[in-house]
Amino acid sequence: MRAFVYGVFYRLPHPVRRRIVRTFVPKYIVGGVVLVRDSEAPAPGRLLLLRQPPGKGWGLPAGLLQRGEPPIVGAARELAEESGITVDPRALTPAVPNAVVHAKGWVDMVFELEVPASTTVLEVDGAEVYEAAFHPIDDLPRLTLSTQRLLAYYGIGPLVAPDDPTSWDRPSAPSHDG
């Protein structure tokens, strides 16, 4: 029976097959996120965080992709909109893992960037973002729960248990010791 159903499905015109798939397959919202590290900070480094409404925790530069927008372009756009840091999307490197699939229906495409904090001007609009600042990775401020969960994939933050043998040793974190 299964072979028959697949045989019928693949004989349908492509637009009909696509509509069927879009109707019955779970849909995901895709966002772009940038982990911005201070290239001048000694290990373990400093990370750019944003305080956004309602202002109860700090998060990462991130936002939803526009329809048809490549993730790396959307991540660079969101970084510029939220922090004032404008970079060519090619300056971003895919984080490892690059895609984080969340159970609640969204996917974060995560990229990394290093900038010198001493010469990087941070500009926020006061509406979408209240404040932007670099924070020591070993002394992070209160983070939003979604930021805590995302950073844990990269071995950062309060949800990473130092003695947990299942936590990953993320080689994507750049070394800052000379």
Side-chain angles (χ1 to χ4, degrees), residues 50-66:
L50 311 174
R51 194 171 60 82
Q52 297 177 284
K56 294 181 180 176
W58 291 77
L60 297 164
L64 297 178
L65 301 182
Q66 297 172 356

Side-chain angles (χ1 to χ4, degrees), residues 45-112:
R46 296 189 325 150
L47 189 64
L48 176 66
L49 296 170
L50 311 174
R51 194 171 60 82
Q52 297 177 284
K56 294 181 180 176
W58 291 77
L60 297 164
L64 297 178
L65 301 182
Q66 297 172 356
R67 186 175 301 277
E69 183 177 43
I72 198 166
V73 172
R77 176 183 51 76
E78 286 293 337
L79 177 64
E81 288 175 5
E82 295 183 347
S83 71
I85 299 174
T86 303
V87 296
D88 184 312
R90 293 173 292 194
L92 302 178
T93 56
V96 178
N98 182 224
V100 176
V101 180
H102 302 277
K104 299 221 175 187
W106 82 91
V107 176
D108 281 325
M109 299 299 297
V110 184
F111 298 90
E112 293 182 304

Side-chain angles (χ1 to χ4, degrees), residues 159-170:
L159 297 183
V160 176
D163 298 335
D164 183 355
T166 63
S167 66
W168 302 359
D169 181 20
R170 310 273 186 308

Side-chain angles (χ1 to χ4, degrees), residues 142-158:
R142 181 177 178 210
L143 302 171
T144 65
L145 183 55
S146 61
T147 299
Q148 290 178 44
R149 288 178 177 153
L150 184 67
L151 286 177
Y153 282 93
Y154 304 96
I156 300 170

